[in-house]
Amino acid sequence: MKRSFFLPAWMLVILTVLSQLGLSQDGSAALMEQGNTAMRRGDTAEAVRDFSGFTQSQPSSAEGFFNLGLALQQAGRLEDSLSAFHKAQSLQPTLRGVSLFAGIVNYKLNRLSDAHKMLLRATQLESKNAAAWMWLGIVELAEDAPDLAVSSLDKAVQLDPNNMDILYHRGRAHLLVSKESYSAMFKLDPDSWRLHEVVGQADAEASRTDSAIHEFSVAVRGAPHEPGLHEELGDMYWMAGKYQEADDAYAEEVKIDPANAIAKYKLGSLRIMQNEVASGMPLLQQALVAAPELNDVHYYLGKGDAALGNEEAAIEQFRMATSEKNDEELRIMSWYQLAMLYRKMHRTQESGEAMAAFRKMKSARELRQLTKFQEQNRRRDQLPVEDSIPADAGATSP
């Protein structure tokens, strides 16, 4: 397994202030201060000399040996560094940071068993230390134990959710566990419908819509009554613009699993889009009763009420669809639909206010640059964009 040998800059710790050591301002204290200063400016050779002098004059100082170990590690003298950490640990077994850095050095020396023991101890001594959990996960990855690494790195993410190093290693661990699971599935049954479902999901995430349709179709043939499969197939048909096929797939999903509120929401929304309002509205209403958190339903209910000429009901639904809880695209389109409805009803002031809200949100969205990662990670209940607002919409007053 390919391994990364690195020590991030944020892991460099200068431990110990003079007050913690209880030292008087004598030569020993001066050496400690000089060593810390040398470390801060990156002069590891000077730091090693200063901390070595300090430990000679203060041989019972665990903190002194720990700082010496840090300096030796930064100087690339890993064996000497490890000896200094072991000495610090023997003098003060619970000294913060010793087990962590001893584990890191053992890892860099390819002594994985010793590294694992030290880092496990570090997590026991400092259960809230994200770095300790991260390094334990890194070692477990190197030991070809991704299942253990997932647990460690998940804990690290909980403690430090915005750390890029932790997120990278955690993602790698989960990927390896997934690969192991899929490999085991293939060995058990290379023609399993589950494998086709997995491949279909991967194709869907990569926007390979036609391939995803093929894989989900094979999976459906292998397990025609499995809940969820027809919904996944319907999603891909919708993305491909094959609306009748999507309708058929969602309808079959609802038949298999009548409690699937999201499938009812998708089928109802699709029918509203296809002007099949009479059959779409009951599905949306049922979905909202079963899952009130599906706030985006209000947009499609608004479209349905507008198509039926229920303008006041449509306005109420579109108003609810502008809630901050809703999908941004649907909120923008809801303001646009409100502006058009108010204009139709000759409610000029309200139409202008709705159009102003639409313009503001549309401009803010256009200023942001969404990454491909964000675009590809859609919520399960997030539908493809129902319709596009003209690029020049709102350019003139209603």
Side-chain angles (χ1 to χ4, degrees):
M1 178 181 295
K2 185 178 180 181
R3 296 165 44 203
S4 301
F5 293 90
F6 68 95
L7 184 62
W10 57 270
M11 288 292 293
L12 179 58
V13 175
I14 306 298
L15 190 76
T16 306
V17 293
L18 298 180
S19 60
Q20 289 176 312
L21 292 172
L23 298 173
S24 60
Q25 291 293 335
D26 56 12
S28 297
L31 285 171
M32 176 62 76
E33 183 59 33
Q34 289 170 202
N36 284 331
T37 301
M39 284 288 280
R40 283 192 288 270
R41 68 170 182 267
D43 188 346
T44 56
E46 175 62 29
V48 167
R49 286 193 294 272
D50 292 332
F51 291 139
S52 294
F54 176 85
T55 56
Q56 289 171 11
S57 63
Q58 299 288 336
S60 62
S61 172
E63 292 90 345
F65 280 102
F66 179 40
N67 278 19
L68 175 59
L70 291 173
L72 288 165
Q73 177 181 288
Q74 290 302 109
R77 295 167 57 181
L78 299 183
E79 293 286 1
D80 292 337
S81 171
L82 198 56
S83 295
F85 288 142
H86 286 162
K87 180 63 176 178
Q89 194 168 49
S90 69
L91 291 167
Q92 189 175 334
T94 60
L95 180 61
R96 183 179 179 183
V98 175
S99 296
L100 170 60
F101 282 93
I104 293 171
V105 172
N106 272 307
Y107 168 80
K108 296 178 76 173
L109 289 170
N110 205 35
R111 297 169 187 168
L112 299 182
S113 178
D114 290 340
H116 192 276
K117 290 176 183 177
M118 285 290 101
L119 291 165
L120 184 60
R121 177 174 172 78
T123 61
Q124 292 167 346
L125 292 172
E126 300 180 66
S127 62
K128 302 291 186 184
N129 189 329
W133 287 109
M134 182 191 78
W135 279 98
L136 179 59
I138 290 172
V139 169
E140 287 165 342
L141 283 172
E143 293 176 312
D144 292 321
D147 51 335
L148 295 178
V150 162
S151 178
S152 299
L153 290 161
D154 281 349
K155 290 176 183 175
V157 167
Q158 291 174 7
L159 294 166
D160 191 359
N162 298 316
N163 186 294
M164 289 292 287
D165 288 326
I166 294 174
L167 290 170
Y168 163 75
H169 290 293
R170 181 201 187 206
R172 182 163 159 254
H174 279 275
L175 178 62
L176 290 171
V177 169
S178 296
K179 288 175 67 177
E180 286 186 354
S181 294
Y182 300 151
S183 178
M185 289 170 63
F186 184 81
K187 290 177 182 177
L188 286 171
D189 183 1
D191 295 321
S192 168
W193 65 268
R194 279 291 188 195
L195 276 177
H196 288 287
E197 181 185 24
V198 166
V199 175
Q201 290 167 346
D203 285 334
E205 287 294 324
S207 299
R208 295 189 292 266
T209 307
D210 290 340
S211 295
I213 288 173
H214 170 73
E215 295 297 338
F216 286 134
S217 297
V218 174
V220 163
R221 289 197 294 271
H225 304 296
E226 179 68 20
L229 278 181
H230 290 85
E231 182 187 337
E232 291 179 302
L233 179 59
D235 292 346
M236 292 301 100
Y237 277 134
W238 189 331
M239 294 296 291
K242 299 179 179 180
Y243 300 127
Q244 185 56 57
E245 290 89 340
D247 189 294
D248 293 341
Y250 290 141
E252 188 63 24
E253 183 67 39
V254 170
K255 180 180 177 181
I256 293 169
D257 184 7
N260 188 335
I262 293 179
K264 288 183 178 180
Y265 160 50
K266 292 176 178 178
L267 179 58
S269 301
L270 181 59
R271 289 184 176 177
I272 295 295
M273 283 178 54
Q274 298 300 104
N275 296 316
E276 298 176 21
V277 180
S279 61
M281 291 291 278
L283 287 164
L284 293 176
Q285 290 160 353
Q286 292 169 27
L288 192 58
V289 169
E293 69 277 6
L294 290 176
N295 295 295
D296 292 346
V297 171
H298 293 294
Y299 175 80
Y300 293 95
L301 285 170
K303 292 279 287 183
D305 279 325
L308 293 170
N310 302 327
E311 293 170 344
E312 290 295 343
I315 287 172
E316 182 180 357
Q317 293 295 340
F318 284 132
R319 279 284 179 186
M320 287 189 282
T322 61
S323 167
E324 290 294 326
K325 298 178 182 178
N326 290 14
D327 173 73
E328 182 187 40
E329 184 71 18
L330 293 186
R331 282 189 283 132
I332 294 173
M333 291 195 294
S334 293
W335 283 115
Y336 182 75
Q337 296 295 339
L338 281 168
M340 297 300 101
L341 271 173
Y342 285 135
R343 174 193 284 182
K344 180 181 178 181
M345 299 168 71
H346 306 290
R347 292 161 64 171
T348 307
Q349 181 176 344
E350 290 165 296
S351 179
E353 291 171 352
M355 184 58 72
F358 160 73
R359 289 172 180 158
K360 181 179 179 181
M361 286 193 66
K362 185 171 181 283
S363 297
R365 183 193 59 185
E366 290 173 350
L367 286 174
R368 288 198 311 275
Q369 296 296 317
L370 298 178
T371 65
K372 186 178 292 186
F373 179 83
Q374 290 171 315
E375 291 171 349
Q376 290 178 350
N377 280 267
R378 303 172 60 85
R379 298 194 322 267
R380 178 185 162 220
D381 65 339
Q382 184 177 353
L383 305 183
V385 176
E386 178 266 342
D387 55 11
S388 59
I389 299 171
D392 61 348
T396 59
S397 299

